[in-house]
Amino acid sequence: MRGLLIVFCCLGFVFAEANDNVRKVRVPTEITLGDMKLKISDACRRNIQKDVDALTKSPKFMEIKADRARIYFPIIEKIFKEEGVPEDFKFLALQESALISDAVSSANAVGFWQFKDFTGREVGLRIDRSVDERLNIVASTHGAAKYFKRHNFYFDNWVYTILAHMTGRGGAGKYVSKSNFGKKRMTLDGKTHWYVVRFLAHKIAYEGITGGPNTEGLRLVEYKKGKGKTLSAIAKDTKVSEVELKKYNKWLKANKVPGEKAYSVMLPVRGKAPKIKDNKPDKDKTDDEGAEDGLISVKVYPKIDEDLNVSGTIYIKINGIPSILAKKGDGINVLAKKANLTPEKFAKYNDLNMSSTIREGEIYYLKSKRSRGKIYFYTVQPNETLWDVSQKFGIKLVKLAKLNRMATIDEIKPGRVLWLRKKRPANMPIEYRELPKMPVDEVIPVKVNPKPVEEIVVPEKEDQEESTAAEVIEAPIKNDEVTETISELDEPIVITNHLVLKGETLYGISKATGVSVEDLIEWNNLYDTSIKVGQNLVIHGSIEENLEVPKTSEVSFHVVEPGDTMYGISKKYGLEVEELLKLNQKDNFNLDIGERLRVK
């Protein structure tokens, strides 16, 4: 009896010690996000607190992610400072992927920031069989910064920018209020979107424990001299572990680091960093036009060069080349005179002959175009010619044709994918993509819910604040991934659970329910793939309605339709082209079908 008493006392001590190790984190009434001051209502605090409690209830699991953050956060912080993005956005990577470089969602979103392939390419990332920069912490974070700034330019609200990372800008429009655009103070209430709630929970739970060195003394050093080298060679040159080098550079799918630009290879270092002679990227001398090296930049918020705007004539730079906008009545001689060029040179720079007609609203170059573009691919729009594309991206017509293994006089069909930076391999067939048949906005892919074993219906309206599911899901919610109920906001909101049966495995459940094993582990705070009969697994989270839905008529923008030009849109709304460019922070005339332009 005495022995049993001692055992119970010991067990009680262990449980008490375990409980003492759980961090007691309380949600404050106010919080700062970028340049915004957020007041958190009691109802919203309760919602955030539930997520914070779920995040902190397993000290071991939390420390694993915090230790990973100590490796990656210094890199993210440096890039966000350069890009002008709030440092707190680093917690979104922790939420999205748990900072696992090759994390893949069931919606096929990939990498640190959970980009789908088309979104990744849109922000300048290379994604193909050789390289996937979504898995590169430096490149993907620059891409994420561009994505954040693009959304914040539209909303002028960092809270809405967070939401748009999951839903896209069009999807976020269903949950935001125009009255909060540009606000520096905002109150979050009980209807604040669950994705924003989860982000704030990650920030509050982790911000006090992610500083300082990694427990193994590991840190990552950026190495930019890897052109044409294998990881084995780089490991030998820099005296780092080849196994660890490969672990932190899963973005490289090929044998060697490609040579067309300077890629950021991450060196895992313990102690003193290896001496790297001249770590600046090599100058790329293969392009006779001197194309820029380093990370490929898709400029989202460039400024028009005011020094070039003289005498009411509009000049901008495209692909680094000065160009001029043709006005009504302009001809080759008139434009050449404005640019202090001979008509012959002007025609040559623009792949024209002396009898060519100048089109009102078109851009024309004042220096020779380049041999390649800054982005990799472009999908041809209706009624576009190869010359149109060459002017749009500042690429010589002959060079553009060679990149695509065609002649300059060949017709191109709408939907054809043109190669702008590298030559299309001879063994790769011509690719066509389906074009939208009408003006479109960003859409939210619908994920089909697995058949639920158990359903917990969350009451609506006044009961919703206090009656959310007892189990709060901790997992990263993947970008672009939502459930059916998001498009049916009048229907009850459902949480789907799965009761583990005899003989079932986590892998089998993941296949049956259409989610990844990693998601199941994260959502249920599992340490490994071990599960027990009768265990109740959360399959997906609840969705709460958020803020007031703005009326479409309140938003002053133009949705780009097939055939639209920047010049035509400016005329339609009585704006000067220069004013329209500045209003939308563009330094070129490129338009995408479905793109929203501010016109007021």
Side-chain angles (χ1 to χ4, degrees):
M1 186 70 180
R2 185 179 178 186
L4 284 174
L5 191 60
I6 293 172
V7 170
F8 285 137
C9 288
C10 290
L11 285 174
F13 174 75
V14 171
F15 291 146
E17 185 178 35
N19 288 333
D20 288 342
N21 286 336
V22 176
R23 292 175 66 233
K24 303 296 183 183
V25 181
R26 293 289 171 244
V27 178
T29 56
E30 290 188 355
I31 197 168
T32 301
L33 181 62
D35 57 356
M36 296 184 69
K37 300 288 185 183
L38 306 178
K39 183 177 179 180
I40 306 176
S41 70
D42 290 343
C44 187
R45 283 181 66 205
R46 286 193 292 270
N47 292 339
I48 298 174
Q49 190 68 57
K50 290 172 185 176
D51 275 12
V52 168
D53 291 345
L55 288 167
T56 57
K57 72 180 181 181
S58 171
K60 178 180 177 182
F61 188 71
M62 194 175 186
E63 175 57 24
I64 290 172
K65 292 205 289 187
D67 209 35
R68 203 178 294 141
R70 294 175 193 124
I71 297 172
Y72 289 112
F73 273 5
I75 299 169
I76 296 174
E77 290 166 3
K78 179 176 180 291
I79 293 171
F80 280 177
K81 184 176 181 180
E82 294 170 358
E83 295 275 6
V85 171
E87 183 182 301
D88 286 336
F89 272 53
K90 65 189 179 185
F91 295 106
L92 196 58
L94 199 62
Q95 174 180 342
E96 284 286 330
S97 66
L99 290 170
I100 297 171
S101 65
D102 55 351
V104 181
S105 78
S106 57
N108 210 28
V110 175
F112 290 102
W113 298 97
Q114 291 291 279
F115 281 129
K116 286 194 172 182
D117 55 359
F118 54 83
T119 308
R121 291 189 179 101
E122 182 184 329
V123 295
L125 303 182
R126 178 177 173 180
I127 304 168
D128 54 35
R129 289 177 295 181
S130 300
V131 168
D132 189 342
E133 288 191 300
R134 293 175 293 181
L135 281 60
N136 184 304
I137 186 62
V138 173
S140 66
T141 301
H142 276 290
K146 291 180 175 69
Y147 199 59
F148 295 144
K149 291 195 293 185
R150 179 179 302 172
H151 289 316
N152 195 57
F153 173 70
Y154 180 76
F155 293 120
D156 196 10
N157 183 307
W158 290 116
V159 174
Y160 292 167
T161 297
I162 289 287
L163 178 59
H165 187 71
M166 186 199 78
T167 64
R169 191 176 67 194
K174 300 175 183 178
Y175 305 98
V176 303
S177 171
K178 189 186 176 187
S179 63
N180 287 319
F181 287 14
K183 285 284 185 68
K184 301 306 175 189
R185 290 184 174 273
M186 184 176 170
T187 299
L188 304 181
D189 58 22
K191 292 185 177 180
T192 298
H193 198 282
W194 61 265
Y195 188 76
V196 175
V197 166
R198 189 150 297 150
F199 165 76
L200 293 174
H202 275 79
K203 167 179 160 59
I204 292 166
Y206 279 95
E207 64 183 348
I209 63 171
T210 54
N214 170 264
T215 54
E216 297 181 6
L218 180 69
R219 58 196 176 93
L220 296 178
V221 175
E222 189 177 359
Y223 177 77
K224 296 182 179 179
K225 300 287 287 184
K227 282 187 178 182
K229 297 179 182 178
T230 64
L231 290 183
S232 299
I234 294 173
K236 186 177 180 181
D237 290 346
T238 58
K239 296 180 175 56
V240 300
S241 163
E242 183 178 343
V243 173
E244 285 196 333
L245 186 65
K246 289 180 178 179
K247 176 182 177 181
Y248 289 101
N249 290 280
K250 293 181 179 179
W251 58 270
L252 183 61
K253 307 295 184 183
N255 230 8
K256 293 182 179 180
V257 178
E260 85 282 356
K261 70 169 188 174
Y263 288 93
S264 294
V265 177
M266 305 314 298
L267 302 181
V269 173
R270 287 178 175 80
K272 192 175 181 181
K275 292 184 177 180
I276 305 171
K277 185 179 179 182
D278 187 16
N279 196 32
K280 295 179 181 179
D282 293 320
K283 293 294 181 183
D284 187 350
K285 299 178 181 178
T286 59
D287 184 4
D288 61 346
E289 299 300 331
E292 294 178 7
D293 211 335
L295 291 170
I296 297 176
S297 173
V298 178
K299 292 187 178 179
V300 182
Y301 302 105
K303 294 181 180 178
I304 299 172
D305 190 340
E306 295 180 357
D307 293 336
L308 293 174
N309 292 315
V310 294
S311 306
T313 300
I314 299 174
Y315 299 84
I316 62 172
K317 284 187 176 182
I318 297 176
N319 205 7
I321 314 161
S323 61
I324 187 172
L325 177 72
K327 296 185 177 181
K328 188 175 181 179
D330 283 345
I332 288 180
N333 290 330
V334 173
L335 292 178
K337 185 176 180 181
K338 287 182 180 180
N340 293 321
L341 295 172
T342 64
E344 291 76 18
K345 270 195 174 181
F346 181 86
K348 181 181 178 182
Y349 291 161
N350 291 280
D351 298 304
L352 302 171
N353 57 53
M354 292 303 295
S355 61
S356 296
T357 301
I358 296 297
R359 301 195 311 219
E360 180 185 3
E362 182 62 79
I363 52 169
Y364 294 90
Y365 293 93
L366 310 182
K367 288 186 178 180
S368 181
K369 291 183 285 186
R370 299 197 185 279
S371 296
R372 59 179 181 175
K374 286 188 178 181
I375 62 175
Y376 281 89
F377 308 105
Y378 174 71
T379 304
V380 178
Q381 302 299 310
N383 303 316
E384 281 189 328
T385 65
L386 199 63
W387 183 84
D388 291 327
V389 178
S390 76
Q391 290 295 105
K392 179 176 283 190
F393 292 98
I395 306 171
K396 294 175 182 177
L397 182 60
V398 172
K399 297 289 186 180
L400 180 61
K402 285 184 177 179
L403 289 174
N404 291 277
R405 299 181 179 276
M406 59 190 296
T408 57
I409 59 173
D410 289 351
E411 291 185 8
I412 49 174
K413 295 179 181 179
R416 175 168 176 170
V417 177
L418 292 180
W419 290 56
L420 306 183
R421 189 167 177 84
K422 295 180 68 178
K423 190 171 185 178
R424 177 173 62 83
N427 60 351
M428 183 172 289
I430 296 172
E431 179 185 355
Y432 285 90
R433 293 178 182 171
E434 186 177 352
L435 295 174
K437 296 180 181 178
M438 57 182 294
V440 296
D441 197 359
E442 292 166 279
V443 296
I444 309 175
V446 176
K447 175 186 172 185
V448 178
N449 284 338
K451 185 177 180 181
V453 174
E454 175 185 352
E455 292 187 349
I456 305 171
V457 179
V458 180
E460 298 183 275
K461 299 180 181 177
E462 65 271 16
D463 297 331
Q464 187 164 335
E465 291 177 12
E466 302 295 336
S467 305
T468 51
E471 286 273 321
V472 179
I473 305 166
E474 177 197 344
I477 302 299
K478 309 305 180 185
N479 190 30
D480 299 328
E481 186 177 335
V482 296
T483 61
E484 286 177 336
T485 53
I486 201 166
S487 60
E488 301 171 357
L489 296 177
D490 295 329
E491 297 296 322
I493 299 166
V494 176
I495 301 172
T496 304
N497 290 56
H498 179 88
L499 195 66
V500 178
L501 303 176
K502 186 176 180 180
E504 285 191 312
T505 64
L506 209 58
Y507 179 76
I509 294 170
S510 77
K511 291 299 181 185
T513 56
V515 298
S516 68
V517 172
E518 289 80 4
D519 283 345
L520 290 173
I521 291 174
E522 287 277 346
W523 292 346
N524 294 278
N525 284 339
L526 304 176
Y527 297 132
D528 51 35
T529 57
S530 302
I531 52 176
K532 299 177 181 178
V533 175
Q535 188 172 355
N536 196 19
L537 296 179
V538 176
I539 301 300
H540 64 80
S542 64
I543 297 176
E544 300 175 2
E545 292 188 31
N546 188 31
L547 303 172
E548 169 193 351
V549 179
K551 297 177 182 177
T552 305
S553 59
E554 294 178 348
V555 185
S556 300
F557 59 79
H558 173 86
V559 180
V560 176
E561 300 180 15
D564 274 350
T565 65
M566 189 70 75
Y567 186 72
I569 294 170
S570 71
K571 293 296 182 186
K572 181 177 180 178
Y573 293 98
L575 298 170
E576 293 293 330
V577 175
E578 185 178 16
E579 184 181 358
L580 187 60
L581 288 168
K582 285 185 176 180
L583 196 59
N584 291 277
Q585 291 291 290
K586 294 174 74 75
D587 74 339
N588 58 53
F589 289 76
N590 301 343
L591 295 173
D592 297 317
I593 295 175
E595 180 180 354
R596 292 186 177 205
L597 294 179
R598 284 189 177 187
V599 293
K600 190 175 180 181

